[in-house]
Amino acid sequence: MEQFLTPSQAYHIHRLFSLTISIFSTSTLDWWCNGGTLLGQVRCGGMVLWDDDIDIAIHLKDREVLHSDEFQKKLGWLRLKLVKPSNLYYKIVYQDCPEKVFIDICLIDENGLDLRKDKKKRKYEEGEIYPLRTAKFSSIKYPVFIPNKSEEYLDRIFKDWRTTAVIYNHSDNKKQKRVLLLTPEINIPVKYYYK
């Protein structure tokens, strides 16, 4: 199986993630890999071949950090911008990049629930998030954060994640899903080469 993203898209999404991590590292914000990005980090050490975005999570109470002048200024310096598709989540995108890649920032409430209505089953149980662990993501130089009990969380929300691959992405609004046996040939991360 070939990766879904073109080499240019793969470069730009990894670079976007790296730049975003660099901004987060200078803030008071707790963040961690979420959804397919968490699955990819735990399972293959990076982005799964058929994914086309990066998913991270923050606590709802920290949303104001995203709106702070300091955070907005740092985004501007790096030619990035924060987009708010709804009150339920955010995106970080490039201001002027031909590749339409993005990072979803999911908001998690005090009960561990993702605010997006279609993600209700992705509830974090008490004790699953903290203390956050650091991990390597592809060849990005900055470490990423993952929940303390990532494997237990994945066991609950993606039942067969250790043995199967559910193939889908945003290009068709996740309408065409395929389930394949997870093999070493497809359990590899998207390649990221620095330019």
Side-chain angles (χ1 to χ4, degrees):
M1 167 177 279
E2 291 183 25
Q3 70 184 39
F4 176 78
L5 297 175
T6 67
S8 178
Q9 289 169 323
Y11 165 76
H12 285 291
I13 199 164
H14 282 89
R15 183 174 177 273
L16 179 63
F17 194 21
S18 184
L19 292 172
T20 300
I21 293 169
S22 73
I23 296 172
F24 282 175
S25 70
T26 63
S27 76
T28 59
L29 192 66
D30 279 344
W31 69 275
W32 61 93
C33 294
N34 192 43
T37 302
L38 174 61
L39 173 68
Q41 191 292 315
V42 172
R43 193 161 70 186
C44 66
M47 192 172 183
V48 295
L49 291 176
W50 51 91
D51 207 352
D52 59 354
D53 74 337
I54 295 290
D55 299 301
I56 61 175
I58 67 169
H59 287 291
L60 177 60
K61 66 178 179 53
D62 291 331
R63 173 175 29 194
E64 293 312 309
V65 173
L66 302 177
H67 295 285
S68 70
D69 290 341
E70 181 181 352
F71 191 83
Q72 291 296 316
K73 192 181 300 181
K74 289 175 183 175
L75 285 173
W77 289 336
L78 297 175
R79 309 282 305 144
L80 307 178
K81 67 179 175 180
L82 185 69
V83 178
K84 185 178 178 185
S86 76
N87 283 330
L88 307 177
Y89 72 107
Y90 293 85
K91 290 182 180 292
I92 291 183
V93 299
Y94 289 105
Q95 290 181 15
D96 52 9
C97 177
E99 303 295 356
K100 301 300 179 206
V101 294
F102 57 92
I103 296 175
D104 279 341
I105 302 176
C106 312
L107 301 172
I108 307 300
D109 73 12
E110 65 278 356
N111 298 314
L113 284 170
D114 189 317
L115 294 191
R116 297 169 296 165
K117 305 299 181 223
D118 62 328
K119 306 294 183 193
K120 286 207 179 285
K121 73 173 192 147
R122 294 191 185 182
K123 181 181 187 298
Y124 287 95
E125 299 294 342
E126 189 172 330
E128 280 183 336
I129 299 174
Y130 291 104
L132 292 170
R133 295 169 19 204
T134 58
K136 183 99 175 101
F137 191 89
S138 189
S139 56
I140 290 177
K141 68 179 179 178
Y142 302 104
V144 299
F145 291 101
I146 62 173
N148 185 45
K149 296 185 178 176
S150 294
E151 293 80 359
E152 292 91 330
Y153 172 74
L154 292 169
D155 285 340
R156 258 187 322 96
I157 65 160
F158 298 129
K159 297 279 185 223
D160 299 317
W161 69 277
R162 296 173 193 264
T163 57
T164 61
V166 180
I167 313 294
Y168 66 90
N169 51 54
H170 294 90
S171 66
D172 70 349
N173 293 321
K174 301 181 183 180
K175 290 180 184 168
Q176 295 182 20
K177 289 187 179 183
R178 293 183 297 148
V179 179
L180 303 176
L181 184 65
L182 186 64
T183 63
E185 294 80 29
I186 65 172
N187 191 30
I188 58 174
V190 168
K191 288 183 173 41
Y192 171 46
Y193 301 104
Y194 297 109
K195 285 188 176 184

